Amino acid sequence: QVQLVESGGGSVQAGGSLTLSCAASGSPYSTASMGWFRQAPGKEREGVAAIGANGDTRYADSAKGRFTISKDNTQNTLYLQMNSLTTEDTAMYYCAAANRRSTLLSLVKIWYNYWGRGTQVTVSS
């Protein structure tokens, strides 16, 4: 049983930065693929970034060059550093984990079988 808890959301002006955190427990952290997703009102949940057990990363085009996904295996914590935020980044952000052994870094939500409750990010102009 995996538990994921996000934190670090809030309100920020356009052009600013935020760092989201996700504390993971209940499973071998180092062997899990993890990712960040976001969902705005009226839209489908979309993948933002993913990271594998080997440290490889993948980003959505909207996040490339602005967001950085990382993890701390010692503290079982996933991070998403977000820079140059725009109003289009406003959404509920979710942490996700997959217990698959595959090295595939997926940005598709059905790939993941564990989810946090989310943390809200609001960007104003």
Side-chain angles (χ1 to χ4, degrees):
Q1 188 71 32
V2 176
Q3 183 175 359
L4 306 173
V5 181
E6 303 95 336
S7 62
S11 299
V12 64
Q13 291 283 339
S17 300
L18 282 175
T19 299
L20 307 182
S21 300
C22 173
S25 63
S27 68
Y29 179 80
S30 63
T31 63
S33 298
M34 303 187 72
W36 288 97
F37 288 72
R38 67 186 183 187
Q39 186 169 20
K43 299 181 66 177
E44 291 293 316
R45 190 171 301 184
E46 62 179 5
V48 177
I51 187 167
N54 60 1
D56 289 348
T57 59
R58 180 182 179 184
Y59 297 92
D61 288 342
S62 61
K64 186 177 180 180
R66 300 189 300 127
F67 294 3
T68 302
I69 187 171
S70 62
K71 62 180 180 178
D72 184 335
N73 289 336
T74 300
Q75 298 186 0
N76 293 336
T77 304
L78 182 74
Y79 301 97
L80 183 68
Q81 174 66 46
M82 304 186 294
N83 299 322
S84 302
L85 288 164
T86 74
T87 56
E88 294 184 355
D89 296 314
T90 295
M92 185 73 74
Y93 283 72
Y94 298 90
C95 174
N99 62 358
R100 304 175 186 269
R101 195 172 181 85
S102 174
T103 58
L104 175 66
L105 295 178
S106 177
L107 296 177
V108 178
K109 62 183 180 181
I110 60 173
W111 182 260
Y112 298 88
N113 45 7
Y114 302 106
W115 295 88
R117 293 294 190 95
T119 185
Q120 178 68 39
V121 172
T122 302
V123 184
S124 59
S125 61

